[in-house]
Amino acid sequence: MTLNERNQLRINKTRLWSTLMDMAQIGATAKGGCNRQALTALDKAGRELFISWCREIGCEIRWDEIGNLFARYPGTDPNAGTILMSSHLDTQPTGGKFDGVYGVLGGLEVLRTLHDNQLTSRHPLEVAAWTNEEGARFTPACMGSGVWSGNLNLDSMLRVTDKDGISVAEALESCSYKGTIKAAPHNVSAAIELHIEQGPVLEKQNKEVGIVTGIQGLRWFTVTLTGIPCHAGPTPMEDRTDPVQPMAEIIKAAYAIAAENAPASRATIGEIITLPGSPNTVPETVVIRIDLRHQNAEIMNNMDRLFRQQVARICNEYAVDYALEEKWRMEVTSFNSTCISAVEEASALVGVSAMPIVSGAGHDSLYLSQRVPTSMIFIPCKNGISHNEAESITPEQAENGANVLLHTVLKLANN
Ligand SMILES: [Zn+2]
């Protein structure tokens, strides 16, 4: 095949769509979504359908000790590192048909397209489905990629139980996906994850593809303020140590920090608790939980520092005791520049409109990028809705992203 012929290659839109719809029948919900949670009988059925499709085109199948599933399409150079196309097949309890699934079946469609054309790349290609990305049945999320990348401990993850007390180890056994291969990075040259955006940006900007450059960083803070409880009637305002007043200032400060660093900043006050929680008692304790995010590491650190300063200043001003705990931190993830360029060039070659974008949600790629060169491709989804049975994309949108994946992979797999 000449280079020109190779550049003309396109995936089969009808086949990709019917594959997505066939998979969506496993765990289909009345409202048109999907409930195929990790390591359930339905997840097993979904995995088996995927494996049967991969075997039809001659893939070798394997799974590791946390159930991560790999379908390998050999290259001409067996020593060359794999080009990985991966995402997840599990869903939220009231999930959609495309979150994760699109990335796995988009990868399959790339392999099918190469198979149709009897095309073999230099590097081997693999499509992978990571175990329990959603974290709905077993916490934490991104469990399979977390273990594979060395971020999560295998034995502790195998002991995690669902709400019925069934452990990950037991669920893997009952699905027959407890493999013997070690969950650890093998020889991978690049990892590309195709995914729906799960936000409204591409749709609003009228772009067909997002060239994902990284993932937002985040900080979770819990601030506990302690005042002196007293009667709401007899106690004059100036005689109170009321923790709600500084709380209000802290909330304002968090929103101001977001506004100063707009538009890429986020501040969310997800929880406010007053204790003892009585209408005619000034609370003794107030707890607020704050989520701050940004896509730039330096700005994220500044927001973090500024927020801590503001909390200290406000509590000092109101003379209340406080404790500020950092509950979770995710550093800003920057994807690999070679992988990002490959997606950019592939978008131009396919002729789709594309823009750079930063992911607001976490993905398996966050963990992968710590071990192997990684980037992602986004397509828009209707109204940016995801983790919802109403999650929706069109066959054309699915086609665009898969064509970009095809040419990204061809670039990376032939150099
Ligand atoms: Zn996902």
Side-chain angles (χ1 to χ4, degrees):
M1 185 177 276
T2 66
L3 184 63
N4 190 40
E5 282 167 341
R6 205 180 82 188
N7 288 345
Q8 303 292 321
L9 271 186
R10 292 296 180 270
I11 62 99
N12 182 327
K13 172 171 94 170
T14 314
R15 179 175 58 192
L16 171 59
W17 192 254
S18 68
T19 303
L20 284 163
M21 293 305 112
D22 287 351
M23 183 61 79
Q25 284 177 14
I26 301 175
T29 63
K31 289 183 188 165
C34 242
N35 178 4
R36 198 173 52 245
Q37 293 178 60
L39 306 179
T40 56
L42 289 169
D43 186 22
K44 179 180 167 68
R47 285 165 174 252
E48 272 155 19
L49 181 59
F50 169 67
I51 290 173
S52 72
W53 286 329
C54 293
R55 288 212 163 113
E56 280 170 12
I57 54 169
C59 289
E60 302 154 25
I61 309 294
R62 67 180 197 280
W63 52 86
D64 65 22
E65 55 197 346
I66 191 77
N68 295 320
L69 182 56
F70 299 87
R72 184 176 175 91
Y73 193 81
T76 55
D77 178 356
N79 297 316
T82 292
I83 309 298
L84 196 59
M85 298 175 273
S86 68
S87 200
H88 57 97
L89 288 172
D90 67 317
T91 76
Q92 288 285 323
T94 53
K97 299 191 280 289
F98 307 104
D99 173 4
V101 186
Y102 170 57
V104 176
L105 300 184
L108 169 66
E109 179 53 39
V110 166
L111 297 187
R112 283 171 162 175
T113 303
L114 300 185
H115 185 258
D116 289 343
N117 291 276
Q118 292 154 349
L119 201 65
T120 309
S121 54
R122 186 166 86 75
H123 290 249
L125 307 180
E126 287 181 9
V127 178
W130 302 104
T131 296
N132 185 34
E133 190 275 349
E134 294 291 358
R137 180 180 176 201
F138 300 106
T139 316
C142 297
M143 188 179 275
S145 55
V147 171
W148 186 86
S149 63
N151 280 281
L152 299 174
N153 176 270
L154 172 70
D155 292 325
S156 347
M157 291 305 112
L158 292 175
R159 282 195 297 269
V160 169
T161 52
D162 68 7
K163 63 177 179 355
D164 299 320
I166 299 168
S167 69
V168 169
E170 288 163 337
L172 279 167
E173 290 293 349
S174 60
C175 291
S176 348
Y177 281 103
K178 176 86 181 81
T180 51
I181 300 167
K182 192 167 166 46
H186 46 293
N187 183 15
V188 176
S189 285
I192 307 292
E193 182 171 6
L194 174 66
H195 208 284
I196 58 169
E197 183 200 334
Q198 305 181 284
V201 176
L202 293 174
E203 189 177 66
K204 267 192 177 167
Q205 302 288 324
N206 209 10
K207 299 289 187 209
E208 291 161 313
V209 160
I211 302 158
V212 190
T213 57
I215 301 179
Q216 279 179 351
L218 72 81
R219 301 286 187 277
W220 279 9
F221 297 112
T222 297
V223 181
T224 306
L225 307 169
T226 312
I228 300 170
C230 59
H231 197 298
T235 321
M237 295 307 279
E238 66 270 24
D239 292 325
R240 299 178 180 198
T241 304
D242 178 356
V244 176
Q245 295 207 26
M247 179 200 81
E249 295 295 324
I250 290 168
I251 291 172
K252 271 208 277 194
Y255 289 134
I257 289 167
E260 282 157 24
N261 295 286
S265 53
R266 308 276 186 270
T268 306
I269 317 293
E271 198 171 12
I272 301 172
I273 304 162
T274 59
L275 296 169
S278 160
N280 54 354
T281 300
V282 170
E284 178 171 20
T285 309
V286 168
V287 182
I288 42 177
R289 298 197 211 283
I290 297 107
D291 172 321
L292 295 180
R293 301 186 189 217
H294 203 281
Q295 55 184 245
N296 174 296
E298 199 185 326
I299 299 175
M300 181 73 258
N301 288 334
N302 281 338
M303 289 170 64
D304 176 327
R305 192 172 35 81
L306 196 57
F307 181 71
R308 290 171 195 264
Q309 282 172 1
Q310 296 281 37
V311 172
R313 181 188 60 76
I314 292 163
C315 292
N316 183 41
E317 199 174 297
Y318 284 86
V320 296
D321 289 334
Y322 78 98
L324 184 151
E325 296 164 90
E326 181 183 301
K327 288 292 191 182
W328 191 31
R329 144 190 303 244
M330 237 8 160
E331 299 301 346
V332 171
T333 297
S334 299
F335 286 146
N336 175 272
S337 58
T338 306
C339 294
I340 296 170
S341 302
V343 174
E344 202 172 356
E345 288 165 30
S347 304
L349 191 153
V350 171
V352 292
S353 58
M355 65 178 278
I357 188 167
V358 170
S359 175
H363 290 286
D364 291 311
S365 288
L366 193 154
Y367 282 143
L368 299 194
S369 69
Q370 296 174 10
R371 301 301 301 272
V372 297
T374 299
S375 76
M376 296 184 72
I377 303 165
F378 276 174
I379 60 159
C381 55
K382 193 176 176 191
N383 300 325
I385 291 170
S386 180
H387 282 197
N388 186 314
E389 289 160 279
E391 193 178 84
S392 174
I393 61 173
T394 65
E396 291 69 31
Q397 288 171 327
E399 177 189 27
N400 288 334
N403 274 325
V404 172
L405 179 64
L406 168 69
H407 285 284
T408 300
V409 164
L410 284 175
K411 266 177 209 308
L412 295 168
N414 285 304
N415 64 21

